[in-house]
Amino acid sequence: MSKFNLILKDELISTNAYLKEKIKSKEITKDTAVLAFSQTSGRGRLERKWYSEDKKSLTMSIALTSPLSPCVTLLCALGVYDVLKDMIESDALKIKWPNDIVVRSKKLCGILTERVMNFTVIGIGLNVNNESFPTELSKKATSIFLETQKAFNIEEIGKTLCENLINTLKETNFSFDENTRNKYKNLCVNLGRQVEFGTPAKTGVATDISSFGELIVATDTGDNKISFGDVFVSGIY
Ligand code: BT5
């Protein structure tokens, strides 16, 4: 981690957009992370809005030169989980395929991975010290503070997340070996539950995660392999 460059910014439009721009303009040529204490227009997948609160939410992105990997988002979720499990002592801390960390039925963290040239840009939105959320998210979102009643230092969490994610990705060589896959499966809330996916919507039971990180869903017409998009889990979201 000593050689790793973590840039701190008071405000950015989006930490992912910032790194992507700097990679394209060749201002960034080696592994770099950026953490913004305020993010004004954060994005999730499919350009959805990501909500964050100044100095209370962690908004960070890490750019790593890496091979193309179909399961990078799932590996990142495992890396983030490993950090959070030391802060939230809860059996309810799980991963919702592919990119969410949840506590019971609420979202604590979202991860957005994007590919730019030979870099993978990993964006992490983590609710840290938030005491409440806007009405539209109040039933869906939670924070470390709401789960533990303790406040945490955002910069410290950011540094720990960088270290853990980089270790997880390098140790696994960006791939899903049997051990890693089993660890993910044990934490995945989708498995064994009724899920809804695709357009037009289909329903089935999530049964497995493939070695490429796909969610396997058994329906009346057979097994479906889902590699992207939203999957709604009955009783969660
Ligand atoms: C994600 O997208 O979960 C990935 C979010 C990644 C955000 C980070 S912040 C740092 C970096 N810079 C960026 O611009 N982005 C990354 P998705 O699976 O599409 O989920 C988005 C949905 O989550 C929204 O449509 C809301 O329903 C919900 N949501 C938005 N903000 C939330 C929050 N703070 N906590 C919980 N849920 C939220």
Side-chain angles (χ1 to χ4, degrees):
M1 189 62 199
S2 53
K3 284 193 219 117
F4 202 83
N5 186 18
L6 174 63
I7 303 167
L8 299 174
K9 292 276 184 190
D10 284 335
E11 184 175 297
L12 284 178
I13 293 171
S14 149
T15 54
N16 263 41
Y18 173 87
L19 286 183
K20 287 195 298 181
E21 228 176 83
K22 301 276 178 203
I23 292 167
K24 283 186 199 147
S25 64
K26 302 212 162 51
E27 285 165 81
I28 286 179
T29 52
K30 61 181 174 90
D31 297 350
T32 303
V34 63
L35 186 151
F37 293 106
S38 164
Q39 178 172 261
T40 53
S41 188
R43 287 285 173 258
R45 296 175 301 157
L46 309 169
E47 289 302 306
R48 285 185 287 229
K49 281 188 183 161
W50 182 258
Y51 165 81
S52 58
E53 214 177 329
D54 294 0
K55 299 193 175 86
K56 294 200 172 179
S57 309
L58 178 140
T59 47
M60 184 176 85
S61 300
I62 306 172
L64 293 177
T65 44
S66 73
L68 254 180
S69 156
C71 38
V72 70
T73 304
L74 283 69
L75 293 170
C76 290
L78 277 178
V80 176
Y81 169 86
D82 275 340
V83 172
L84 294 178
K85 77 171 187 327
D86 294 334
M87 304 164 83
I88 300 178
E89 286 166 33
S90 170
D91 291 343
L93 187 67
K94 302 272 182 206
I95 298 172
K96 179 173 176 280
W97 185 93
N99 64 325
D100 293 349
I101 310 283
V102 296
V103 184
R104 283 170 288 277
S105 57
K106 292 190 168 182
K107 182 159 168 170
L108 179 65
C109 174
I111 299 167
L112 172 71
T113 53
E114 299 182 279
R115 188 78 188 167
V116 194
M117 295 159 69
N118 56 333
F119 281 89
T120 298
V121 177
I122 305 154
I124 301 163
L126 171 65
N127 303 321
V128 180
N129 295 325
N130 314 69
E131 290 164 35
S132 61
F133 288 93
T135 322
E136 66 276 15
L137 286 175
S138 61
K139 289 207 172 74
K140 186 181 177 183
T142 189
S143 68
I144 304 178
F145 176 79
L146 288 173
E147 297 300 324
T148 62
Q149 305 305 312
K150 286 183 206 147
F152 286 85
N153 181 301
I154 292 185
E155 195 182 323
E156 285 304 314
I157 300 180
K159 284 182 186 156
T160 313
L161 279 173
C162 278
E163 279 167 25
N164 267 268
L165 273 176
I166 293 158
N167 283 345
T168 306
L169 292 168
K170 295 209 162 143
E171 271 167 22
T172 56
N173 202 18
F174 292 83
S175 69
F176 229 17
D177 62 26
E178 221 29 45
N179 262 349
T180 317
R181 186 169 148 239
N182 282 334
K183 186 171 171 195
Y184 188 93
K185 281 170 63 172
N186 283 332
L187 292 168
C188 180
V189 277
N190 306 63
L191 295 184
R193 294 175 95 139
Q194 177 96 15
V195 299
E196 193 182 300
F197 63 97
T199 353
K202 286 200 215 175
T203 52
V205 175
T207 56
D208 204 358
I209 306 284
S210 78
S211 53
F212 296 107
E214 300 144 313
L215 184 71
I216 313 288
V217 180
T219 64
D220 292 346
T221 52
D223 277 354
N224 291 248
K225 283 185 179 175
I226 307 169
S227 49
F228 60 88
D230 288 320
V231 171
F232 301 96
V233 180
S234 171
I236 304 187
Y237 60 83

